[in-house]
Amino acid sequence: MDYTPNYKNYSLDELLDAQKYIDKESFPERAQELELEIANKLKDPEIKAEFEELETSKRYATFWPRFWAAIIDGLIFTALLYIECLLFGVEYSHQNMVLQAVNGVQYIGYVVFMHGFYGQTLGKMVMDVKVLDHDTETDITLKQSVRRESVNIAINSSWILLLLSISISLQQLGSVPEVLTYLIMGLNSLATVWALSEFITMLFNEKRRAIHDFIGKTVVVRL
């Protein structure tokens, strides 16, 4: 009995799926037949347009990969902060604002460096996504990476200034002025709103660009 598939009866999606999983070394002729049939299907303008739209959609479907990449990077820096606390004899605590500010500065430096030189953090490498220039879809520059993180840089810089102000106030006055307490609450709220707006923005545009992507003129794609 002949088990050779008749690829002429396959839809384009079925052909592409078969091409993805076929063992080309064991079945070179069948693989070649697949490629030929795919090429024939794509000669139809409607099918070609549908295929290109599907490929574009897949390329920019990065919401969940980016989400998990952020989780991976966050876990890496949580572990790094814990190790640093052990090395320097500092008590580890998520409530310690100084520790969180230091970790934030380190994290932003890491993100700017990795994106500026590699287009990926370690988390993005694991999830197989990369940051590219939006207009050319080539590697981004270090300048773009800095611009992309500019809001986070501003928020963390404000945190450091507030912490310094609190430290000085405690030394000179023995207490924290009420205005600094309100500023901390306001900065916390701002950071929360910014984080939420990033995720919301990604959900409502075709290329899943967050606000920082628009600022940096970047886009994240699947590899």
Side-chain angles (χ1 to χ4, degrees), residues 49-66:
E50 184 181 340
F51 169 75
E52 289 175 349
E53 185 178 345
L54 179 63
E55 288 299 296
T56 298
S57 176
K58 287 179 180 178
R59 181 169 173 78
Y60 299 117
T62 58
F63 180 87
W64 287 112
R66 291 170 75 172

Side-chain angles (χ1 to χ4, degrees), residues 133-176:
D133 179 90
H134 176 260
D135 297 330
T136 63
E137 293 216 355
T138 56
D139 291 342
I140 67 171
T141 63
L142 185 60
K143 182 179 179 180
Q144 274 181 289
S145 184
V146 171
R147 192 165 65 230
R148 192 172 185 267
E149 294 298 323
S150 57
V151 174
N152 287 326
I153 291 171
I155 290 173
N156 273 273
S157 298
S158 299
W159 261 116
I160 292 169
L161 289 174
L162 278 173
L163 290 172
L164 287 173
S165 299
I166 289 171
S167 178
I168 292 170
S169 296
L170 287 172
Q171 289 179 3
Q172 295 183 350
L173 305 174
S175 62
V176 178

Side-chain angles (χ1 to χ4, degrees), residues 90-209:
V90 178
E91 184 179 352
Y92 177 82
S93 171
H94 283 293
Q95 305 303 316
N96 189 321
M97 289 189 297
V98 175
L99 284 180
Q100 297 310 316
V102 169
N103 200 37
V105 170
Q106 291 176 327
Y107 184 78
I108 288 175
Y110 157 78
V111 169
V112 168
F113 176 85
M114 293 295 288
H115 284 155
F117 288 96
Y118 303 102
Q120 298 170 290
T121 60
L122 294 175
K124 284 186 173 69
M125 288 178 185
V126 171
M127 299 309 301
D128 225 19
V129 292
K130 188 175 183 179
V131 181
L132 298 175
D133 179 90
H134 176 260
D135 297 330
T136 63
E137 293 216 355
T138 56
D139 291 342
I140 67 171
T141 63
L142 185 60
K143 182 179 179 180
Q144 274 181 289
S145 184
V146 171
R147 192 165 65 230
R148 192 172 185 267
E149 294 298 323
S150 57
V151 174
N152 287 326
I153 291 171
I155 290 173
N156 273 273
S157 298
S158 299
W159 261 116
I160 292 169
L161 289 174
L162 278 173
L163 290 172
L164 287 173
S165 299
I166 289 171
S167 178
I168 292 170
S169 296
L170 287 172
Q171 289 179 3
Q172 295 183 350
L173 305 174
S175 62
V176 178
E178 192 174 4
V179 65
L180 290 180
T181 302
Y182 285 125
L183 285 173
I184 289 173
M185 291 172 61
L187 192 59
N188 263 330
S189 299
L190 177 63
T192 301
V193 169
W194 169 251
L196 289 173
S197 66
E198 288 274 85
F199 281 106
I200 291 170
T201 307
M202 288 174 64
L203 294 173
F204 291 99
N205 66 87
E206 185 181 357
K207 292 185 177 180
R208 297 292 178 258
R209 298 172 75 197

Side-chain angles (χ1 to χ4, degrees), residues 81-94:
L81 182 61
Y82 182 72
I83 292 168
E84 288 174 338
C85 287
L86 291 177
L87 290 175
F88 295 104
V90 178
E91 184 179 352
Y92 177 82
S93 171
H94 283 293

